[in-house]
Amino acid sequence: MILNRTLMRRLVIWVAAMDSELQALDANHTWQLVPLPVGHRPIGCRWVFKIKHRVDGSLERYKARLVARGFTQRAGIDYRETFAPVAKLIVVRCLLSLAAIRGWSLHQLDVHNAFLHSDLTEEIYMLPPPGYLRQGEGLVCRLTKSLYGLKQASRSWFQKFHSAIQDIGFHQSRADYSMFTKVTSNSITVILLYVDDMVITSDDERAIAQLKCFLASRFHIKDLGPLRFFFGIEVARSKAGISISQRKYTLDILAEVGFMGAKPAALPADPDFKIQSNTSEFIKDPSSFRRLIGKLIYLTITRP
């Protein structure tokens, strides 16, 4: 009985998260329900569930996201260009150094459902989410806005943001296309965009406040306050300067693989161990191993 109650409580939480996502999609006019035209093939969609935590590890919210099955899109028909620039780590380091030397404040913003803000130029049809329509209606969703999972989603969002920020005098950097600067006689303001996260710094707090107001008028913005966590790196500021650390990211990896109690070692592997190709069995599900390797690689390339 206790197990059933716990399960039902979790189901209610996730259903509420799904309803919240569908309400956001409807409010954004993400699609129109139409009969499928002759000669067109709809793509599928699925739900992705994630528990989001704050920097200190406490529970923030339950997130349900509707994702298009972009791998079924056809090149030249459902999409064309897909590339979108993202911030480079070396630029993040340089920006942190500049802010520390000049004493500039660092702020972080998150764009809620960023990809849903961008418009689509292609004619794309998608199967409705499971349970969205009554049985027998036979309609599909013609997408008018971008959706997570589409191959062109990142590019469409970046173009939307680029167009909006240019309207108030920001210029795209030639050194890093995800960085935008605005220089006036009184201030200099810098924006660094990484998908739906952005870092803002300036020598004028009023310029930052005005920029936040503008972004909030164009997008659904969540102000995260002073920069604390970006690129998987913790950022701490004091009178002595700015320090960066990967402690949380490293602890998350150790907790995921069950190595929280492991002791430090001088070498990453036993030097006397010999690997033989014909004595071990194949891993039944290599996805978790691949995910771990990817996180370790990212840990090495983003280390302070």
Side-chain angles (χ1 to χ4, degrees), residues 16-164:
M18 294 166 65
D19 289 340
S20 176
E21 176 76 354
L22 289 175
Q23 290 173 8
L25 294 173
D26 285 337
N28 197 50
H29 306 292
T30 307
W31 59 60
Q32 298 174 346
L33 291 174
V34 297
L36 181 65
V38 178
H40 289 270
R41 186 178 70 187
I43 63 176
C45 61
R46 67 187 183 96
W47 287 101
V48 176
F49 303 97
K50 184 178 181 181
I51 300 177
K52 305 200 73 173
H53 296 86
R54 299 183 180 88
V55 177
D56 59 3
S58 60
L59 175 65
E60 180 180 359
R61 62 191 172 101
Y62 293 85
K63 174 66 179 177
R65 174 165 285 163
L66 186 66
V67 177
R69 295 181 178 269
F71 57 86
T72 61
Q73 289 182 263
R74 295 167 292 176
I77 300 176
D78 299 321
Y79 71 94
R80 294 175 180 84
E81 297 292 336
T82 61
F83 173 76
V86 293
K88 302 174 184 176
L89 182 60
I90 185 64
V91 177
V92 175
R93 294 175 184 267
C94 291
L95 192 64
L96 293 179
S97 300
L98 180 63
I101 295 172
R102 298 292 183 91
W104 296 355
S105 61
L106 290 160
H107 296 255
Q108 185 174 7
L109 302 179
D110 175 73
V111 185
H112 183 64
N113 287 333
F115 289 0
L116 306 185
H117 291 285
S118 51
D119 302 316
L120 285 177
T121 57
E122 298 85 1
E123 188 176 354
I124 302 177
Y125 296 90
M126 184 185 76
L127 295 174
Y132 184 75
L133 295 179
R134 291 187 296 269
Q135 188 174 4
E137 285 187 313
L139 300 176
V140 295
C141 302
R142 179 178 178 178
L143 298 180
T144 57
K145 300 282 187 178
S146 185
L147 196 66
Y148 284 89
L150 294 178
K151 290 184 178 294
Q152 67 268 49
S154 295
R155 183 179 181 86
S156 299
W157 154 242
F158 185 85
Q159 290 176 336
K160 183 78 171 183
F161 180 82
H162 185 194
S163 176

Side-chain angles (χ1 to χ4, degrees), residues 255-266:
E256 181 179 343
V257 298
F259 275 22
M260 287 295 290
K263 297 180 180 179

Side-chain angles (χ1 to χ4, degrees), residues 126-298:
M126 184 185 76
L127 295 174
Y132 184 75
L133 295 179
R134 291 187 296 269
Q135 188 174 4
E137 285 187 313
L139 300 176
V140 295
C141 302
R142 179 178 178 178
L143 298 180
T144 57
K145 300 282 187 178
S146 185
L147 196 66
Y148 284 89
L150 294 178
K151 290 184 178 294
Q152 67 268 49
S154 295
R155 183 179 181 86
S156 299
W157 154 242
F158 185 85
Q159 290 176 336
K160 183 78 171 183
F161 180 82
H162 185 194
S163 176
I165 212 68
Q166 277 188 324
D167 292 342
I168 56 173
F170 278 83
H171 298 279
Q172 190 177 33
S173 170
R174 296 296 181 89
D176 189 332
Y177 292 124
S178 62
M179 184 169 69
F180 301 87
T181 58
K182 180 180 180 180
V183 180
T184 66
S185 58
N186 300 321
S187 66
I188 175 172
T189 308
V190 182
I191 303 175
L192 191 62
L193 182 69
Y194 183 76
V195 190
D196 56 357
D197 286 325
M198 69 182 78
V199 176
I200 299 174
T201 185
S202 176
D203 58 353
D204 186 356
E205 290 293 333
R206 290 176 299 177
I208 294 179
Q210 292 172 0
L211 175 59
K212 287 182 178 181
C213 289
F214 170 78
L215 293 174
S217 68
R218 300 293 292 269
F219 311 109
H220 188 179
I221 295 292
K222 182 178 181 181
D223 190 350
L224 301 178
L227 178 63
R228 299 185 185 279
F229 194 78
F230 189 68
F231 250 95
I233 300 174
E234 292 179 81
V235 180
R237 190 163 196 168
S238 65
K239 294 181 179 180
I242 296 176
S243 62
I244 56 178
S245 168
Q246 290 176 302
R247 180 179 180 275
K248 182 181 182 300
Y249 189 76
T250 305
L251 291 176
D252 288 344
I253 296 177
L254 292 174
E256 181 179 343
V257 298
F259 275 22
M260 287 295 290
K263 297 180 180 179
L267 298 173
D270 184 0
D272 297 326
F273 180 75
K274 295 182 180 180
I275 300 177
Q276 298 180 3
S277 60
N278 57 354
T279 57
S280 59
E281 298 180 358
F282 287 104
I283 301 176
K284 294 182 179 180
D285 183 15
S287 59
S288 59
F289 178 77
R290 292 168 180 165
R291 185 167 58 252
L292 174 60
I293 294 300
K295 289 184 176 182
L296 292 175
I297 293 175
Y298 185 79

